[in-house]
Amino acid sequence: MSVEVAAALASGQPVVALESTIISHGLPRPDNLELARALEAMVRDAGAVPATIAVLDGVVRIGLAPDDLERLAADPDIGKLSVRDLAPAIAAGISGATTVAATAHLAARAGIEVFATGGLGGVHPAPRPAGAQWDVSADLDTLARTPIAVVCSGVKSLLDVPATLERLETLGVAVVGYGTDDFPGFYVRRTGLRAPWRVDSPAQAAALLRARTALGVPAAVIVANPVPGPAELDPTLHDAALHQALTAADTEGVRGPDLTPFLLAALASATDGAAVAANVALAESNAELAARIAVELA
């Protein structure tokens, strides 16, 4: 841990975990470094301590220095680490950015109760050829056994959202809309699917989290915060760009951990950068809300 994060946790100050995959693999340069700095600043402005998480040279780092953020943003060889990859990466002494699953796991072990990210992974649309296995993100199973609040803008709209919500229900992960009854879809504010529960303030979210802790429920709580209205992608443009991206991924045989970065890059290109602007806006909104919830908890 950084000295700042360790001191904050020891004294009961609010701390917000931030993932590093969005820095290394989620946005183009120089947007990625600008966002990394902005997220930490927004958490501080809301009264909490930011704890960006990554593995650097085989060491788990909870809270990064400015030069660490610069390294994550600039080094093309930074890997992408999920929970299954943490032990091999540490043993080999290599560096990697942590996914939602890995960040949530490490944050919870460090005693951090709130985590802000952009969007969750989930169930990908049925791959071709017919009969192939479903591609399901490790985020979902990890959250089923990780007691942390995840503030996000729903699941990425390039996924099978109904199937993802069904999977979360099966795993016992609570899904709560923030200020909305409609589950958000990352770039778009509404998916047409109902969020099972709703809260309308950080105080209500904190009360829910306290109840979860008192009951000993082991799973995460997803606080689904829609992308800010002005940054939302036009739904028609979004649907057309997504269809084009999925077709390209299928044609090129992109699968597994490479699929989401491929689709995000394709959407950014097809929307003339509007998808990147939406990604930045929702990530900032989620960081600010997560900090407000963490302050209420503290």
Side-chain angles (χ1 to χ4, degrees), residues 14-159:
V15 178
V16 173
L18 300 169
E19 55 137 321
S20 48
T21 295
I22 194 171
I23 304 171
S24 296
H25 302 279
L27 290 174
R29 303 181 183 91
D31 298 314
N32 56 350
L33 180 57
E34 293 175 3
L35 180 61
R37 292 168 172 164
L39 295 181
E40 293 204 345
M42 297 191 79
V43 169
R44 293 186 194 282
D45 289 346
V49 173
T52 304
I53 296 177
V55 175
L56 296 178
D57 302 317
V59 178
V60 172
R61 300 283 296 277
I62 312 286
L64 301 181
D67 58 340
D68 296 326
L69 294 179
E70 293 173 6
R71 177 181 174 186
L72 285 169
D75 188 348
D77 295 325
I78 293 290
K80 182 179 178 182
L81 306 179
S82 189
V83 174
R84 69 171 188 174
D85 306 308
L86 290 173
I90 291 166
I94 68 171
S95 300
T98 51
T99 64
V100 168
T103 306
H105 174 80
L106 295 170
R109 283 185 60 83
I112 299 172
E113 298 181 275
V114 184
F115 166 33
T117 186
L120 296 182
V123 180
H124 281 271
R128 301 173 183 81
Q133 293 295 312
W134 290 87
D135 181 359
V136 182
S137 170
D139 293 356
L140 304 188
D141 280 55
T142 298
L143 295 179
R145 58 180 183 268
T146 307
I148 196 168
V150 182
V151 181
C152 62
S153 294
V155 300
K156 295 183 177 71
S157 51
L158 48 88
L159 303 171

Side-chain angles (χ1 to χ4, degrees), residues 11 18 60 70 89 109 130-131 137 149 186 190 215 229 238 253 261 263:
S11 60
L18 300 169
V60 172
E70 293 173 6
R109 283 185 60 83
S137 170
F186 198 60
R190 297 175 179 84
L215 291 166
H238 169 270
L263 294 175

Side-chain angles (χ1 to χ4, degrees), residues 176-184 189-190 193-195 197-200 224-226:
V176 183
Y178 187 82
T180 181
D181 294 313
D182 195 304
F183 188 69
R189 291 179 60 82
R190 297 175 179 84
L193 300 169
R194 188 174 180 83
W197 295 96
R198 172 174 175 158
V199 295
D200 292 294
N225 181 36

